[in-house]
mmCIF file of all heavy atoms in Angstrom:
data_model
loop_
_atom_site.group_PDB
_atom_site.id
_atom_site.type_symbol
_atom_site.label_atom_id
_atom_site.label_comp_id
_atom_site.label_asym_id
_atom_site.label_seq_id
_atom_site.Cartn_x
_atom_site.Cartn_y
_atom_site.Cartn_z
ATOM 1 N N ALA A 1 -9.650 14.697 8.083
ATOM 2 C CA ALA A 1 -8.462 14.618 7.246
ATOM 3 C C ALA A 1 -8.842 14.185 5.839
ATOM 4 O O ALA A 1 -9.931 13.647 5.602
ATOM 5 C CB ALA A 1 -7.465 13.614 7.849
ATOM 6 N N GLN A 2 -7.926 14.413 4.913
ATOM 7 C CA GLN A 2 -8.059 13.853 3.573
ATOM 8 C C GLN A 2 -7.491 12.438 3.646
ATOM 9 O O GLN A 2 -6.283 12.258 3.801
ATOM 10 C CB GLN A 2 -7.280 14.691 2.565
ATOM 11 C CG GLN A 2 -7.403 14.195 1.127
ATOM 12 C CD GLN A 2 -6.584 15.028 0.162
ATOM 13 O OE1 GLN A 2 -6.080 16.092 0.504
ATOM 14 N NE2 GLN A 2 -6.433 14.536 -1.056
ATOM 15 N N VAL A 3 -8.333 11.435 3.556
ATOM 16 C CA VAL A 3 -7.903 10.065 3.831
ATOM 17 C C VAL A 3 -8.337 9.133 2.713
ATOM 18 O O VAL A 3 -9.409 9.308 2.111
ATOM 19 C CB VAL A 3 -8.471 9.581 5.193
ATOM 20 C CG1 VAL A 3 -9.974 9.656 5.233
ATOM 21 C CG2 VAL A 3 -7.970 8.188 5.539
ATOM 22 N N THR A 4 -7.488 8.151 2.419
ATOM 23 C CA THR A 4 -7.833 7.106 1.472
ATOM 24 C C THR A 4 -7.421 5.760 2.053
ATOM 25 O O THR A 4 -6.499 5.684 2.859
ATOM 26 C CB THR A 4 -7.142 7.337 0.110
ATOM 27 O OG1 THR A 4 -7.654 6.413 -0.849
ATOM 28 C CG2 THR A 4 -5.631 7.162 0.213
ATOM 29 N N PHE A 5 -8.136 4.703 1.653
ATOM 30 C CA PHE A 5 -7.853 3.341 2.103
ATOM 31 C C PHE A 5 -7.744 2.476 0.855
ATOM 32 O O PHE A 5 -8.724 2.294 0.130
ATOM 33 C CB PHE A 5 -8.964 2.852 3.036
ATOM 34 C CG PHE A 5 -8.833 1.427 3.506
ATOM 35 C CD1 PHE A 5 -7.649 0.718 3.395
ATOM 36 C CD2 PHE A 5 -9.925 0.788 4.080
ATOM 37 C CE1 PHE A 5 -7.533 -0.599 3.828
ATOM 38 C CE2 PHE A 5 -9.835 -0.532 4.530
ATOM 39 C CZ PHE A 5 -8.638 -1.221 4.389
ATOM 40 N N VAL A 6 -6.547 1.963 0.601
ATOM 41 C CA VAL A 6 -6.255 1.217 -0.615
ATOM 42 C C VAL A 6 -5.998 -0.249 -0.277
ATOM 43 O O VAL A 6 -5.261 -0.554 0.664
ATOM 44 C CB VAL A 6 -5.013 1.810 -1.320
ATOM 45 C CG1 VAL A 6 -4.626 0.966 -2.531
ATOM 46 C CG2 VAL A 6 -5.282 3.257 -1.732
ATOM 47 N N HIS A 7 -6.597 -1.141 -1.046
ATOM 48 C CA HIS A 7 -6.320 -2.566 -0.899
ATOM 49 C C HIS A 7 -5.222 -2.975 -1.875
ATOM 50 O O HIS A 7 -5.310 -2.698 -3.071
ATOM 51 C CB HIS A 7 -7.586 -3.388 -1.156
ATOM 52 C CG HIS A 7 -8.552 -3.351 -0.019
ATOM 53 N ND1 HIS A 7 -9.482 -2.340 0.134
ATOM 54 C CD2 HIS A 7 -8.719 -4.188 1.048
ATOM 55 C CE1 HIS A 7 -10.195 -2.564 1.225
ATOM 56 N NE2 HIS A 7 -9.748 -3.665 1.795
ATOM 57 N N GLU A 8 -4.197 -3.613 -1.342
ATOM 58 C CA GLU A 8 -3.081 -4.098 -2.135
ATOM 59 C C GLU A 8 -3.184 -5.627 -2.252
ATOM 60 O O GLU A 8 -3.824 -6.280 -1.428
ATOM 61 C CB GLU A 8 -1.750 -3.735 -1.467
ATOM 62 C CG GLU A 8 -1.511 -2.235 -1.328
ATOM 63 C CD GLU A 8 -0.886 -1.632 -2.563
ATOM 64 O OE1 GLU A 8 -0.878 -2.283 -3.628
ATOM 65 O OE2 GLU A 8 -0.389 -0.491 -2.455
ATOM 66 N N PRO A 9 -2.532 -6.218 -3.244
ATOM 67 C CA PRO A 9 -2.548 -7.683 -3.361
ATOM 68 C C PRO A 9 -1.657 -8.333 -2.309
ATOM 69 O O PRO A 9 -0.704 -7.733 -1.825
ATOM 70 C CB PRO A 9 -1.989 -7.925 -4.772
ATOM 71 C CG PRO A 9 -1.146 -6.726 -5.060
ATOM 72 C CD PRO A 9 -1.828 -5.576 -4.380
ATOM 73 N N GLY A 10 -1.996 -9.562 -1.944
ATOM 74 C CA GLY A 10 -1.119 -10.361 -1.099
ATOM 75 C C GLY A 10 -1.317 -10.184 0.386
ATOM 76 O O GLY A 10 -2.236 -9.506 0.846
ATOM 77 N N GLY A 11 -0.410 -10.832 1.115
ATOM 78 C CA GLY A 11 -0.460 -10.812 2.565
ATOM 79 C C GLY A 11 0.363 -9.684 3.160
ATOM 80 O O GLY A 11 0.723 -8.715 2.484
ATOM 81 N N HIS A 12 0.703 -9.853 4.432
ATOM 82 C CA HIS A 12 1.318 -8.762 5.191
ATOM 83 C C HIS A 12 2.696 -8.360 4.667
ATOM 84 O O HIS A 12 3.049 -7.187 4.730
ATOM 85 C CB HIS A 12 1.429 -9.184 6.659
ATOM 86 C CG HIS A 12 1.892 -8.086 7.568
ATOM 87 N ND1 HIS A 12 1.132 -6.958 7.822
ATOM 88 C CD2 HIS A 12 3.041 -7.931 8.281
ATOM 89 C CE1 HIS A 12 1.784 -6.166 8.659
ATOM 90 N NE2 HIS A 12 2.944 -6.732 8.944
ATOM 91 N N SER A 13 3.467 -9.301 4.167
ATOM 92 C CA SER A 13 4.849 -9.015 3.774
ATOM 93 C C SER A 13 5.038 -8.952 2.269
ATOM 94 O O SER A 13 6.167 -9.049 1.773
ATOM 95 C CB SER A 13 5.792 -10.070 4.370
ATOM 96 O OG SER A 13 5.708 -10.072 5.779
ATOM 97 N N HIS A 14 3.960 -8.773 1.524
ATOM 98 C CA HIS A 14 4.031 -8.800 0.065
ATOM 99 C C HIS A 14 4.313 -7.411 -0.499
ATOM 100 O O HIS A 14 3.620 -6.453 -0.177
ATOM 101 C CB HIS A 14 2.707 -9.321 -0.496
ATOM 102 C CG HIS A 14 2.697 -9.525 -1.974
ATOM 103 N ND1 HIS A 14 3.505 -10.440 -2.606
ATOM 104 C CD2 HIS A 14 1.975 -8.920 -2.957
ATOM 105 C CE1 HIS A 14 3.279 -10.417 -3.901
ATOM 106 N NE2 HIS A 14 2.360 -9.492 -4.147
ATOM 107 N N GLN A 15 5.379 -7.291 -1.298
ATOM 108 C CA GLN A 15 5.685 -6.066 -2.040
ATOM 109 C C GLN A 15 5.674 -4.814 -1.153
ATOM 110 O O GLN A 15 4.960 -3.841 -1.411
ATOM 111 C CB GLN A 15 4.715 -5.903 -3.211
ATOM 112 C CG GLN A 15 4.827 -7.014 -4.250
ATOM 113 C CD GLN A 15 3.925 -6.805 -5.445
ATOM 114 O OE1 GLN A 15 2.876 -6.159 -5.349
ATOM 115 N NE2 GLN A 15 4.313 -7.348 -6.586
ATOM 116 N N ILE A 16 6.500 -4.837 -0.130
ATOM 117 C CA ILE A 16 6.534 -3.729 0.829
ATOM 118 C C ILE A 16 6.974 -2.429 0.160
ATOM 119 O O ILE A 16 6.374 -1.372 0.373
ATOM 120 C CB ILE A 16 7.450 -4.064 2.013
ATOM 121 C CG1 ILE A 16 6.904 -5.278 2.762
ATOM 122 C CG2 ILE A 16 7.579 -2.872 2.953
ATOM 123 C CD1 ILE A 16 7.834 -5.812 3.834
ATOM 124 N N ALA A 17 8.028 -2.491 -0.654
ATOM 125 C CA ALA A 17 8.510 -1.276 -1.314
ATOM 126 C C ALA A 17 7.442 -0.673 -2.214
ATOM 127 O O ALA A 17 7.273 0.559 -2.266
ATOM 128 C CB ALA A 17 9.775 -1.588 -2.118
ATOM 129 N N GLN A 18 6.714 -1.517 -2.916
ATOM 130 C CA GLN A 18 5.646 -1.016 -3.780
ATOM 131 C C GLN A 18 4.571 -0.313 -2.966
ATOM 132 O O GLN A 18 4.061 0.744 -3.355
ATOM 133 C CB GLN A 18 5.028 -2.166 -4.585
ATOM 134 C CG GLN A 18 5.899 -2.664 -5.724
ATOM 135 C CD GLN A 18 6.901 -3.724 -5.288
ATOM 136 O OE1 GLN A 18 7.205 -3.848 -4.091
ATOM 137 N NE2 GLN A 18 7.402 -4.482 -6.235
ATOM 138 N N ARG A 19 4.213 -0.897 -1.832
ATOM 139 C CA ARG A 19 3.184 -0.278 -0.988
ATOM 140 C C ARG A 19 3.639 1.083 -0.469
ATOM 141 O O ARG A 19 2.859 2.044 -0.451
ATOM 142 C CB ARG A 19 2.828 -1.214 0.169
ATOM 143 C CG ARG A 19 2.175 -2.507 -0.294
ATOM 144 C CD ARG A 19 1.835 -3.417 0.871
ATOM 145 N NE ARG A 19 1.343 -4.709 0.384
ATOM 146 C CZ ARG A 19 0.837 -5.651 1.164
ATOM 147 N NH1 ARG A 19 0.749 -5.455 2.470
ATOM 148 N NH2 ARG A 19 0.406 -6.793 0.649
ATOM 149 N N LEU A 20 4.893 1.158 -0.051
ATOM 150 C CA LEU A 20 5.414 2.434 0.440
ATOM 151 C C LEU A 20 5.480 3.466 -0.676
ATOM 152 O O LEU A 20 5.159 4.645 -0.465
ATOM 153 C CB LEU A 20 6.798 2.228 1.051
ATOM 154 C CG LEU A 20 6.858 1.392 2.336
ATOM 155 C CD1 LEU A 20 8.301 1.126 2.726
ATOM 156 C CD2 LEU A 20 6.126 2.091 3.485
ATOM 157 N N SER A 21 5.880 3.041 -1.873
ATOM 158 C CA SER A 21 5.960 3.990 -2.992
ATOM 159 C C SER A 21 4.572 4.484 -3.393
ATOM 160 O O SER A 21 4.403 5.659 -3.751
ATOM 161 C CB SER A 21 6.672 3.353 -4.184
ATOM 162 O OG SER A 21 5.937 2.273 -4.721
ATOM 163 N N HIS A 22 3.563 3.623 -3.317
ATOM 164 C CA HIS A 22 2.194 4.067 -3.598
ATOM 165 C C HIS A 22 1.744 5.124 -2.589
ATOM 166 O O HIS A 22 1.097 6.116 -2.958
ATOM 167 C CB HIS A 22 1.233 2.873 -3.551
ATOM 168 C CG HIS A 22 1.473 1.859 -4.622
ATOM 169 N ND1 HIS A 22 0.975 0.569 -4.569
ATOM 170 C CD2 HIS A 22 2.160 1.935 -5.795
ATOM 171 C CE1 HIS A 22 1.356 -0.098 -5.634
ATOM 172 N NE2 HIS A 22 2.073 0.698 -6.400
ATOM 173 N N ALA A 23 2.093 4.910 -1.324
ATOM 174 C CA ALA A 23 1.732 5.879 -0.290
ATOM 175 C C ALA A 23 2.411 7.218 -0.549
ATOM 176 O O ALA A 23 1.777 8.283 -0.462
ATOM 177 C CB ALA A 23 2.113 5.331 1.080
ATOM 178 N N LEU A 24 3.705 7.183 -0.854
ATOM 179 C CA LEU A 24 4.438 8.424 -1.095
ATOM 180 C C LEU A 24 3.883 9.169 -2.304
ATOM 181 O O LEU A 24 3.743 10.391 -2.292
ATOM 182 C CB LEU A 24 5.919 8.111 -1.315
ATOM 183 C CG LEU A 24 6.751 7.959 -0.048
ATOM 184 C CD1 LEU A 24 8.156 7.473 -0.383
ATOM 185 C CD2 LEU A 24 6.833 9.300 0.697
ATOM 186 N N ALA A 25 3.579 8.419 -3.364
ATOM 187 C CA ALA A 25 3.042 9.062 -4.564
ATOM 188 C C ALA A 25 1.735 9.790 -4.257
ATOM 189 O O ALA A 25 1.496 10.895 -4.754
ATOM 190 C CB ALA A 25 2.848 8.027 -5.660
#
């Protein structure tokens, strides 16, 4: 597959909407 692994700041519950929007983009 075409796969990427991105590290985001913070713990498990930090900036959930931002993480989802990054994935969608």
